[in-house]
């Protein structure tokens, strides 16, 4: 795995996105500087990894849909940046790769909702989160850093690239699994932490309805 590839990619994408958006960032210090860690956040746009990864001072290993790895140049670039493929359905190979990297004391980023989610279909909107990520963390006794990102879904409308809209990111305190709780109880603790971060961001930044997550179709104006 190439730390150089990740750091170059992170610098390039971070510089590009900061050119077109303002980024309000909080809580990076909650991410452990070493050891196995899972970064687990909400997922509202395909731009999310380029926002939540680069601010962290250590390499972050992301998953990406396997279709991207079949695209010439793109696939090679992703592998160079330590990204590994995952299928749309439950993927045992991706899970094993995540485990392998965590056992190497790496930081692995996972979007537990398994796809883009907004409104009532999302964890932040009250939907039940798929099981898997927290069970993995519980099994391996790996801390999980909750992360909420808002505003990145605006980039689906090309006109918004020239408005320098704000993207808000807040990392919560790392949650360590306990031997006295089940995987389901640990997941419940994570879900509560995510919703508390979300509500605090709405309050602290006085966010409006338009600032909150919307699906790509609505952002593109194809859904009322």
């Amino acid at each position: 795995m190439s730390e150089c590839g990740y750091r170059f990619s992170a610098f390039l994408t971070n510089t590009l996105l900061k050119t077109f958006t303002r980024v309000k960032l909080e809580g990076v210090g909650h991410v452990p500087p070493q050891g196995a860690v899972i970064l687990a956040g909400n997922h509202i746009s395909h731009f999310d990894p380029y926002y939540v990864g680069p601010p962290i001072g250590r390499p972050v290993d992301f998953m990406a849909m396997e279709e991207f790895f079949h695209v010439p140049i793109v696939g090679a670039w992703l592998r160079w940046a330590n990204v590994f493929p995952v299928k749309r359905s439950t993927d045992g190979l991706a899970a094993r790769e995540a485990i392998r990297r965590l056992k190497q004391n790496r930081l692995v980023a996972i979007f537990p909702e398994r796809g883009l989610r907004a409104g009532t279909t999302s964890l932040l909107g009250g939907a039940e989160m798929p099981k898997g990520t927290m069970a993995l963390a519980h099994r391996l006794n790996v801390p999980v850093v909750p992360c909420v990102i808002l505003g990145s879904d605006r980039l689906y409308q090309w006109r918004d690239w020239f408005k320098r809209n704000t993207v808000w990111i807040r990392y919560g305190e790392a949650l360590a699994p306990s031997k006295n709780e089940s995987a389901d109880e640990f997941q419940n603790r994570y879900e509560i932490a995510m919703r508390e971060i979300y509500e605090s961001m709405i309050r602290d930044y006085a966010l409006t309805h338009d600032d909150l997550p919307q699906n790509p179709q609505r952002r593109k104006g194809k859904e009322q």
Side-chain angles (χ1 to χ4, degrees):
M1 288 177 280
S2 171
E3 183 172 327
C4 177
Y6 170 81
R7 293 195 180 280
F8 177 77
S9 299
F11 170 78
L12 189 65
T13 56
N14 194 42
T15 300
L16 176 64
L17 292 175
K18 281 190 173 181
T19 300
F20 293 99
T21 55
R22 299 180 180 89
V23 179
K24 290 189 179 295
L25 187 71
E26 287 187 281
V28 178
H30 291 316
V31 182
Q34 57 188 10
V37 180
I38 292 177
L39 176 68
N42 65 311
H43 198 15
I44 58 176
S45 86
H46 294 89
F47 303 98
D48 294 341
Y50 308 113
Y51 278 107
V52 303
I56 298 173
R58 55 184 290 193
V60 182
D61 295 353
F62 283 94
M63 298 181 184
M65 301 310 300
E66 65 172 351
E67 293 91 331
F68 293 121
F69 288 82
H70 300 312
V71 180
I73 301 178
V74 173
W77 184 291
L78 290 173
R79 290 187 176 85
W80 187 50
N82 296 340
V83 181
F84 58 101
V86 61
K87 297 178 181 178
R88 292 186 183 276
S89 58
T90 302
D91 188 350
L93 288 176
R96 286 195 288 273
E97 179 62 17
I99 292 171
R100 185 180 74 84
R101 296 189 184 210
L102 289 168
K103 287 184 176 180
Q104 293 178 342
N105 289 322
R106 300 185 67 83
L107 194 165
V108 176
I110 301 175
F111 296 112
E113 295 177 287
R114 300 179 186 170
L116 304 182
R117 299 285 184 269
T120 57
T121 67
S122 72
L123 164 64
L124 301 182
E128 183 178 350
M129 189 181 80
K131 299 183 185 299
T133 302
M134 296 308 123
L136 176 65
H138 186 270
R139 171 188 163 193
L140 298 177
N141 194 30
V142 171
V144 174
V145 175
C147 173
V148 174
I149 180 170
L150 304 171
S152 61
D153 51 331
R154 283 199 179 99
L155 295 177
Y156 283 112
Q157 182 61 264
W158 68 267
R159 296 181 184 85
D160 286 337
W161 282 75
F162 303 97
K163 296 179 180 179
R164 293 212 74 218
N165 287 308
T166 301
V167 173
W168 299 270
I169 306 167
R170 183 172 289 182
Y171 305 86
E173 295 184 6
L175 305 174
S178 168
K179 294 181 180 179
N180 298 321
E181 66 182 345
S182 66
D184 286 344
E185 289 171 330
F186 181 58
Q187 174 161 318
N188 183 60
R189 190 149 57 93
Y190 166 79
E191 291 176 355
I192 291 172
M194 286 289 288
R195 289 170 183 143
E196 287 180 346
I197 294 171
Y198 179 53
E199 294 299 329
S200 70
M201 292 172 73
I202 293 175
R203 181 181 62 251
D204 295 346
Y205 296 122
L207 302 182
T208 67
H209 176 73
D210 188 59
D211 297 322
L212 305 184
Q214 298 181 28
N215 63 47
Q217 290 73 25
R218 180 164 294 181
R219 286 298 189 190
K220 293 175 183 177
K222 296 181 180 180
E223 179 181 298
Q224 299 301 318

